[in-house]
Amino acid sequence: MEVFDQLAEQYQGEHSHNPFQAALIERIAALLPAGTSVLDLGCGTGVPTAQILTGSDHRVVGVDVSQGMLRLAREQVPAAEFVHADFTRLADDFGQFEAVTAFFSLLMLSKADIERTLDKARGWLKPGGYLALGMVNFDGDSLPFDFMGVPVTVSGYLQDDLSAVLEAHGFTVVSIETVSFTPADGPEESQIFALARTS
């Protein structure tokens, strides 16, 4: 997506230092045995998700539609594997992973596509695998939004609704919390971080 090609470095500067995201990634890294595989949907520049996970001896496959983001990711996290693709179009048999992460990437989809992606993620996860999500805390479906000066459409859920959607798509919610985060040059944002598990 050209939008994110243009914004790659600016996005990293403003959004790669979220302590709540980093804490959830560290938690995933500690829950998984070393050497296990993680699929990062909408991996962006690889920081912090792929960077933290490869630093903890996990194998990371990052998928992103933006070549600009992936160029930075490959430079910054050479230990990870990065795939240029729309993650909503990945094959159902793309691979088997111990965890799938999606930090602020699902919100660019419609709610219908978010739910289809959750079903795909469940299929990519091994039994007992973890799903970690970061979302913006609001209720809307494909609403117009100005993101760092660029018009996009975004979707979101309130915390209880997100929890219910995860449960409806075959996940058990391990933890979910709503937090406030202020990017370096942006307004304060209400965000939801969820950790779920397949049965």
Side-chain angles (χ1 to χ4, degrees), residues 1-7 11 104-105 107-110 136 138 141-155 189:
M1 188 181 283
E2 289 182 14
V3 167
F4 291 102
D5 289 345
Q6 299 165 24
L7 294 178
Y11 179 87
F104 307 104
S105 53
L107 59 85
M108 298 294 173
L109 308 177
S110 67
V136 177
F138 79 103
D141 191 358
S142 299
L143 300 180
F145 183 75
D146 183 287
F147 180 71
M148 297 170 66
V150 176
V152 295
T153 60
V154 296
S155 301
E189 206 172 80

Side-chain angles (χ1 to χ4, degrees), residues 62-177:
V63 180
D64 206 283
V65 74
S66 165
Q67 291 278 29
M69 292 280 195
L70 291 173
R71 178 180 53 78
L72 281 177
R74 291 183 178 113
E75 289 172 4
Q76 296 180 132
V77 195
E81 176 188 345
F82 293 105
V83 177
H84 179 233
D86 176 346
F87 62 73
T88 66
R89 298 176 183 271
L90 292 178
D92 292 344
D93 62 356
F94 181 73
Q96 287 281 287
F97 300 86
E98 277 78 17
V100 172
T101 58
F103 290 105
F104 307 104
S105 53
L106 297 186
L107 59 85
M108 298 294 173
L109 308 177
S110 67
K111 283 188 171 179
D113 282 338
I114 289 172
E115 295 193 30
R116 274 192 284 272
T117 302
L118 291 175
D119 288 335
K120 279 179 164 280
R122 198 180 75 244
W124 294 323
L125 283 166
K126 295 180 180 178
Y130 289 96
L131 174 71
L133 297 180
M135 295 284 285
V136 177
N137 175 39
F138 79 103
D139 183 33
D141 191 358
S142 299
L143 300 180
F145 183 75
D146 183 287
F147 180 71
M148 297 170 66
V150 176
V152 295
T153 60
V154 296
S155 301
Y157 302 89
L158 302 177
Q159 179 175 307
D160 288 350
D161 296 333
L162 179 59
S163 186
V165 165
L166 288 168
E167 297 274 356
H169 288 270
F171 292 95
T172 299
V173 175
V174 177
S175 66
I176 189 165
E177 64 172 347

